[in-house]
């Protein structure tokens, strides 16, 4: 017997419950499954007005769904996804559709999709961004899979997605793991921007000795200009938040940054593709360094450096705004270049204008600048790098002196600025028609006879550089 629910959700944690309630709000009959009876009950209570059903038993849950069934899994990435597919798979029938809405590693998505499709079950890997509030009120979603499978849920996904200029921020971006790959790079960019913001916060706090509320006001002001974005907005909110013991809550928070892996995957796969994404690499690196708290405390007594603090200077603050604009744009450029390379390598056929369009609202990296980025790819879909777009190049031209000045300040004061430096080095490297890597080629040939190519004639050359 077929049930009446239009859509099922497995995993009623923060994200699953919020997204399912959002779907119910749009007039769809929903059912949820969680092994935790408290969560199943919470869904029944919260979704009572909409008739949401909560289950702890997979058979009852599957029985409540209208055939052919559409079920989303929203559980932590990795083994939990396989475990859900293992227990639910046998209860599903050919023609049913499974959607993995978690932050799954793209190679896992390829494997799971191949297994399910072989059994006649459709599979979509869907990146869902926007945290709890996004899931509840409008996330940004990036899909990968077959067109026919996506068409079955397109109306539902478009109804619940965030809207940018009235357009839903959800799309099927390519086959297989395309959607999860794009979400992984989204998170890599997210890591990069968060690290850049924290470096500028460090300059203002330890360098210019500004109070948290003063820094919060600066970020609030920046959020009305070119930097307008979700991450700048929440930075202002965080910095102004008081602690129960007095002072600011941010000062009471441990500086060991945690990570669940998506930023690292982005870096690892960029390395495999041979594509530089230095700001993202160094953002992952900075979280790793932050975790070495005991060593850092020891080193702070053993190693010396300049005194970072001098009183507040409005000039340096103004420079920091331009520096951040450039560095964030550099990070987007790196992320999009990774997507272009991955699209070729994995056959995703990504439309980068579409990616920028879906990221304009609902997701963590949403920003005013994504509309200009979208336009850059609309004007030239084959753009090999965003920095080659005349409009974007203009921003790099105007802002680079500000980033250089900020870096001089930070390096002079002994304040670490790995992501800001990497963002500038990416620009400086990319705009260099000649690089010093000819020397590396010569060294490789000297010690390993690895050969080199010449600039004046074709072929592969080896020199006997030293006499015996
Ligand atoms: C989003 C976020 C989200 C992720 C956080 C935490 O798009 O809504 O990217 O998917 O959970 O970014 O990631 P880390 O724990 O690795 O910082």
């Amino acid at each position: 017997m077929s049930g009446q629910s239009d859509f099922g959700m497995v995993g009623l944690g923060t994200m699953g419950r919020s997204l399912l309630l959002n779907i119910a709000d749009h007039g769809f009959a929903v059912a949820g499954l969680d092994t935790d009876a408290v969560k199943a009950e919470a869904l029944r209570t919260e979704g009572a007005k909409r008739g949401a059903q909560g289950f702890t038993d997979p058979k009852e849950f599957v029985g409540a769904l209208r055939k052919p069934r559409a079920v989303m899994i929203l559980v932590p990435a990795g083994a939990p996804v396989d475990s859900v597919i293992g227990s639910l798979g046998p209860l599903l029938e050919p023609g049913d559709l499974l959607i993995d809405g978690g932050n799954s590693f793209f190679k896992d998505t390829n494997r799971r999709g191949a297994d399910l499709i072989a059994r006649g079950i459709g599979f979509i890997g869907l990146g869902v961004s926007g945290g709890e509030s996004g899931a509840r009120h409008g996330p940004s979603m990036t899909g990968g899979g077959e067109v026919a499978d996506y068409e079955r849920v397109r109306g539902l996904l478009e109804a619940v997605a965030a809207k940018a200029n009235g357009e839903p921020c959800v799309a099927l971006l390519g086959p297989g793991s395309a959607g999860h790959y794009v979400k992984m790079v989204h998170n890599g960019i997210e890591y990069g921007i968060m690290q850049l913001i924290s470096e500028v916060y460090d300059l203002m706090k330890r360098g210019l000795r500004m109070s948290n509320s003063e820094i919060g006001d600066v970020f609030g002001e920046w959020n009305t200009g070119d930097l307008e974005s979700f991450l700048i907005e929440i930075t202002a909110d965080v910095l102004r938040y008081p602690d129960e013991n007095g002072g600011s809550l941010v000062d009471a928070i441990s500086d060991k940054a945690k990570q669940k892996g998506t930023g690292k995957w982005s870096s690892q796969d960029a390395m495999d593709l041979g594509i530089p994404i230095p700001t993202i690499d160094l953002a992952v690196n900075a979280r790793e360094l932050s975790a070495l708290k005991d060593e850092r405390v020891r080193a702070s007594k053993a190693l010396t450096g300049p005194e970072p603090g001098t009183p507040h200077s409005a000039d340096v603050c103004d420079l920091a705004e331009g520096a951040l604009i450039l560095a964030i744009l550099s990070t987007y450029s790196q992320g999009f270049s990774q997507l272009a390379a991955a699209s070729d390598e994995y056959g995703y056929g990504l439309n980068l204008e579409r990616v920028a369009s879906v990221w304009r609202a609902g997701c963590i990296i949403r920003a005013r600048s994504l509309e200009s980025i979208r336009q850059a790819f609309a004007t030239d879909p084959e753009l090999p790098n965003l920095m080659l777009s005349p409009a974007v190049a203009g921003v790099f031209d105007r802002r680079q002196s500000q980033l250089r000045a900020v870096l001089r300040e930070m390096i002079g004061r002994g304040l670490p600025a790995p992501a800001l430096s990497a963002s500038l080095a990416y620009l400086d490297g990319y705009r260099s028609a000649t690089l010093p890597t000819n020397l590396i080629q010569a060294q490789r040939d000297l010690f390993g006879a690895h050969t080199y190519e010449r600039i004046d004639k074709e072929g592969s050359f080896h020199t006997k550089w030293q006499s015996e």
Side-chain angles (χ1 to χ4, degrees):
M1 204 195 84
S2 175
Q4 293 306 310
S5 292
D6 303 309
F7 196 80
M9 177 73 71
V10 183
L12 299 176
T14 315
M15 292 295 285
R17 190 190 70 248
S18 304
L19 187 55
L20 197 59
L21 290 170
N22 179 1
I23 293 169
D25 281 350
H26 285 84
F28 297 94
V30 301
L33 172 72
D34 202 292
T35 47
D36 183 343
V38 176
K39 289 186 179 153
E41 175 59 29
L43 173 70
R44 279 195 292 270
T45 312
E46 273 188 84
K49 272 195 279 180
R50 317 241 178 267
Q53 303 188 74
F55 298 95
T56 51
D57 179 61
K59 273 200 192 120
E60 286 177 26
F61 166 72
V62 169
L65 300 171
R66 194 196 311 280
K67 291 182 188 176
R69 304 174 184 91
V71 180
M72 183 182 292
I73 307 172
L74 242 171
V75 298
V81 179
D82 288 312
S83 152
V84 169
I85 294 177
S87 62
L88 210 64
L91 303 174
L92 298 177
E93 295 167 299
D96 288 346
L97 173 65
L98 260 186
I99 302 166
D100 176 9
N103 273 334
S104 289
F105 183 51
F106 72 100
K107 289 183 182 170
D108 288 341
T109 300
N110 288 333
R111 167 178 59 76
R112 290 169 186 144
D115 288 352
L116 287 161
I117 288 163
R119 288 156 49 196
I121 296 169
F123 187 63
I124 290 174
L126 188 75
V128 178
S129 179
E132 180 179 4
S133 152
R136 185 68 186 84
H137 305 292
S140 161
M141 294 175 282
T142 52
E146 298 298 318
V147 175
D149 290 328
Y150 182 74
E151 282 302 316
R152 282 193 48 201
V153 284
R154 184 162 68 90
L156 180 148
L157 296 176
E158 289 184 352
V160 303
K163 309 288 180 301
N165 299 335
E167 294 162 31
C169 290
V170 57
L172 182 75
L173 294 170
S177 55
H180 275 148
Y181 196 94
V182 170
K183 177 62 175 31
M184 177 184 81
V185 174
H186 165 284
N187 283 25
I189 296 170
E190 172 187 305
Y191 273 52
I193 297 174
M194 290 168 77
Q195 175 61 26
L196 291 167
I197 291 174
S198 81
E199 291 173 16
V200 169
Y201 154 67
D202 199 22
L203 170 65
M204 291 195 252
K205 186 158 177 76
R206 283 201 289 167
L208 306 180
R209 295 188 186 145
M210 292 164 65
S211 70
N212 291 317
S213 67
E214 283 172 328
I215 305 171
D217 289 346
V218 170
F219 276 98
E221 176 61 31
W222 288 352
N223 197 44
T224 62
D226 288 348
L227 280 172
E228 184 189 335
S229 60
F230 173 74
L231 286 169
I232 296 286
E233 179 192 327
I234 62 159
T235 302
D237 294 344
V238 164
L239 287 163
R240 291 168 178 152
Y241 201 89
D243 184 38
E244 56 192 18
N245 299 323
S248 305
L249 176 54
V250 70
D251 286 339
I253 294 179
S254 158
D255 63 358
K256 291 195 261 184
K258 302 280 166 59
Q259 48 184 322
K260 289 202 273 296
T262 43
K264 185 179 76 181
W265 297 341
S266 217
S267 280
Q268 285 172 327
D269 199 60
M271 290 270 177
D272 286 345
L273 292 170
I275 292 296
I277 53 164
T279 308
I280 296 167
D281 296 339
L282 284 162
V284 177
N285 224 261
R287 290 196 193 191
E288 290 161 355
L289 187 71
S290 84
L292 304 176
K293 179 76 175 177
D294 294 345
E295 280 180 57
R296 285 190 289 114
V297 169
R298 186 171 160 194
S300 71
K301 297 181 184 104
L303 301 167
T304 58
E307 166 52 45
T310 56
H312 174 47
S313 143
D315 291 352
V316 177
C317 251
D318 288 347
L319 292 172
E321 181 182 16
L324 206 44
I325 291 170
L326 188 153
I328 289 174
L329 210 44
S330 171
T331 310
Y332 279 116
S333 302
Q334 296 165 39
F336 276 99
S337 85
Q338 178 171 3
L339 289 179
S343 182
D344 288 347
E345 180 69 21
Y346 304 128
Y348 291 145
L350 292 179
N351 173 333
L352 297 183
E353 181 199 349
R354 205 87 203 282
V355 174
S357 174
V358 168
W359 282 349
R360 283 177 304 168
C363 64
I364 302 296
I365 63 168
R366 62 185 183 258
R368 186 196 282 188
S369 58
L370 274 162
E371 177 53 28
S372 323
I373 294 175
R374 187 197 66 73
Q375 281 169 16
F377 286 115
T379 308
D380 182 357
E382 300 306 322
L383 206 57
N385 191 301
L386 206 45
M387 291 193 289
L388 290 173
S389 142
V392 173
V395 179
F396 279 88
D397 263 0
R398 284 199 304 285
R399 303 291 185 183
Q400 60 176 279
S401 63
Q402 295 167 315
L403 179 51
R404 291 182 201 286
V406 163
L407 282 169
R408 275 194 296 274
E409 284 282 336
M410 294 190 72
I411 292 165
R413 293 163 186 264
L415 294 169
L420 286 164
S421 310
S423 302
L424 182 63
Y426 183 69
L427 165 69
D428 284 337
Y430 194 70
R431 65 178 188 80
S432 295
T434 45
L435 285 168
T437 23
N438 51 334
L439 181 59
I440 291 175
Q441 283 296 82
Q443 291 163 332
R444 290 177 69 244
D445 188 57
L446 182 150
F447 62 64
H450 294 296
T451 75
Y452 55 87
E453 290 166 6
R454 293 183 57 100
I455 57 174
D456 52 357
K457 52 186 173 190
E458 289 288 311
S460 190
F461 299 88
H462 170 57
T463 297
K464 192 169 176 308
W465 295 87
Q466 293 164 316
S467 47
E468 296 298 323

